[in-house]
Amino acid sequence: MVPDDIFKKIIAHSKEYGFIFPSSEIYDGLSAVYDYGQYGAELKNNIKEYWWNAMVRLNENIVGIDSAIFMHPEIWKASGHVGAFNDPLIDNKDSKKRYRADVLIEEYMQKIEGKIEKEIVKAKKRFGEDFNEEQFRNTNPRVLANQKKIDETNKRFIFALENDDLKEMKQIILDSEIACPFSGSKSWTDVRQFNLMFSTQIGSISEGANTIYLRPETAQGIFVNYLNVQKSGRMKVPFGIAQIGKAFRNEIVARQFIFRMREFEQMEMQFFIRPGEEMKWFEYWKGARMKWHKALGIEDNKFRYHDHDNLAHYANAATDIEFDFPIGFKELEGIHSRTDFDLVQHQEHSGKKLQYFDNETNKSYVPYVVETSIGLDRMFLAIISNAYTEEKLEDGTERVVLKIPPQLAPVKLAVLPLIKKDGLPEKAREIMNNLKLEFNCQYEEKDSIGRRYRRQDAIGTPFCVTIDHQSMEDNTVTLRYRDSMKQDRISVSEIGEIIRDKVSINTLLKNL
Ligand code: GAP
């Protein structure tokens, strides 16, 4: 199946089964804004719990906070967001569609890279075991010509980004003959900068209201509270502050479901360290965050690092953890060495000292910061797109199953009486009432057992227990496993014991 089709199916499945709905749907929706339904909210909560516990519970030197979305407007001047939180936009004159100029150029280079990969796959087939990829890349004329195109474009692109040269960015688009993906037209407007922050007014207009912003990242709430936390928690460098919360960006190119939203959630952690130790901690957090992802049992080849050549205004090193989404490898999480940029800026703009006294070195300094920043919604998309599976069964039927890691699954256990009479529903309720104290359970008695299994597969429930007539005699049930569809006869008293470890987030934490 082509990736585009899979993506469409995942979007449709998410809606049909109560994971994600378009916002304000009865009013025809609101672009790039989504609501999480009954199973989506559970899955999201479980991802948050996994992240929060991995950061805050497992690390004695990391604490969590919950800062306000509204902050003093000066904060966004200090952080550079008022002046520099822009996207370079370009419009196609014929289709009237708007694009990010940098994305058009990156996609153009990726397309050429794709051509090179195709040549390599073809040559591998032709030469078999004797194939030497490095030699092929260095000698094949088509590969060399394409690589030259990429290198030259990339060089110009980096120059344009570093020098904020919007004219050059347009020229690259023209020289590369990049066409509008919608209309095929190559007629472009100039590139313009567009600030991504949403603003609103605080106070009544008559009293002279002030413009304030909806935060575009949660990180600044951590920076401005760093001394409060350090002092009240008697924290010693190195220490971290974690936060989960909403962020808002007026994304212009927002056509990728929950990958790029205007209202989204971030899980960020700022790690405050001694100046000069940033590369050590940058490497540490790069490794630790990749481990967190891989502990979920998702195949290793779905993740890769992408080190940044073009650094954001605040960073001296940065990498993305990219995930192989149905729309290709894209950024899932960022790890940035932010130096002392933010704290120094806040010191200057607020006029308050933000220094830390290190009693081991007897020195005061503004700490450096290494940040880990992951989009909760992107993590959700990674989980659900990796989990979505269409299977042909032996009896010729098909099923759609969400193979969500059981620890994150919205419902852990479905309790199903085989039929709606002979005391089976009452027995099932009794079992459920005991188990629901510990696990998120769902009771279902409508429809045939086969259809109920399919519904549970579709929402990713890892276990189903079925209560039948034998259960009434010997207190046993069948336990069905989602992925293998295997069924075991077990006693009711064993259910908790068997599923406990498999669905507990602690099992994931132990692997970190
Ligand atoms: N504090 C650093 C920061 O905000 P970022 O790379 O702009 O860095 C961090 O964002 C993460 O937030 C990204 O890796 C991505 O997962 C998520 N994110 C950013 N913009 C998003 C959007 N419009 N919709 C959904 N997630 C987004």
Side-chain angles (χ1 to χ4, degrees), residues 32 81 85 100 196 216-220 223 247-251 253-254 257-270 308 312 314 319-321 325 330-336 338 371-379:
H81 285 83
F85 193 52
R100 268 176 59 178
L196 295 182
E217 61 170 12
T218 58
Q220 297 304 323
F223 286 122
F248 304 83
R249 295 183 190 178
N250 196 2
E251 300 281 2
V253 182
F257 190 38
I258 57 168
F259 181 80
R260 199 175 299 288
M261 303 159 88
R262 295 200 165 115
E263 173 180 342
F264 59 102
E265 241 171 305
Q266 289 186 315
M267 305 193 286
E268 298 200 295
M269 194 279 298
Q270 318 297 131
H308 287 211
Y314 51 72
T319 197
D320 293 337
I321 293 179
F325 291 100
K330 301 253 179 222
E331 174 184 348
L332 169 61
E333 169 156 14
I335 297 137
H336 312 122
R338 291 180 78 130
E371 159 187 81
T372 73
S373 174
I374 174 169
L376 174 54
D377 312 87
R378 280 199 196 168
M379 187 62 198

Side-chain angles (χ1 to χ4, degrees), residues 454-504:
R454 289 290 168 275
R455 268 207 301 273
Q456 294 301 328
D457 288 343
I459 62 167
T461 307
F463 300 102
C464 292
V465 295
T466 305
I467 291 87
D468 55 17
H469 288 96
Q470 192 182 330
S471 313
M472 305 300 282
E473 284 161 23
D474 62 7
N475 213 28
T476 61
V477 292
T478 56
L479 178 70
R480 176 188 182 268
Y481 294 81
R482 175 193 70 196
D483 296 349
S484 63
M485 294 187 290
K486 197 175 121 226
Q487 298 191 19
D488 288 338
R489 188 104 212 158
I490 59 164
S491 105
V492 168
S493 60
E494 289 175 302
I495 303 172
E497 215 175 289
I498 294 174
I499 75 168
R500 184 167 295 118
D501 274 357
K502 298 194 172 70
V503 301
S504 165

Side-chain angles (χ1 to χ4, degrees), residues 153-274:
T153 310
N154 200 35
K155 200 168 150 207
R156 289 177 66 189
F157 181 48
I158 290 172
F159 174 86
L161 286 174
E162 282 176 355
N163 295 288
D164 235 344
D165 189 341
L166 302 181
K167 276 201 180 127
E168 172 65 354
M169 221 176 265
K170 178 176 178 184
Q171 201 52 49
I172 298 172
I173 290 174
L174 297 180
D175 294 347
S176 310
E177 299 189 6
I178 296 174
C180 163
F182 191 77
S183 62
S185 148
K186 292 174 192 161
S187 174
W188 297 103
T189 62
D190 288 343
V191 179
R192 288 169 298 121
Q193 290 289 17
F194 182 88
N195 193 284
L196 295 182
M197 281 199 295
F198 284 103
S199 62
T200 185
Q201 304 292 319
I202 197 161
S204 78
I205 305 282
S206 56
E207 286 165 7
N210 273 325
T211 297
I212 56 165
Y213 300 98
L214 298 189
R215 65 181 179 199
E217 61 170 12
T218 58
Q220 297 304 323
I222 294 178
F223 286 122
V224 297
N225 276 300
Y226 119 89
L227 267 191
N228 283 337
V229 173
Q230 187 273 321
K231 286 190 174 137
S232 58
R234 296 192 298 158
M235 313 293 290
K236 279 189 163 171
V237 161
F239 70 92
I241 305 178
Q243 165 155 243
I244 299 177
K246 291 266 185 174
F248 304 83
R249 295 183 190 178
N250 196 2
E251 300 281 2
I252 293 306
V253 182
R255 288 188 277 270
Q256 291 161 319
F257 190 38
I258 57 168
F259 181 80
R260 199 175 299 288
M261 303 159 88
R262 295 200 165 115
E263 173 180 342
F264 59 102
E265 241 171 305
Q266 289 186 315
M267 305 193 286
E268 298 200 295
M269 194 279 298
Q270 318 297 131
F271 202 65
F272 297 86
I273 54 176
R274 283 187 187 146

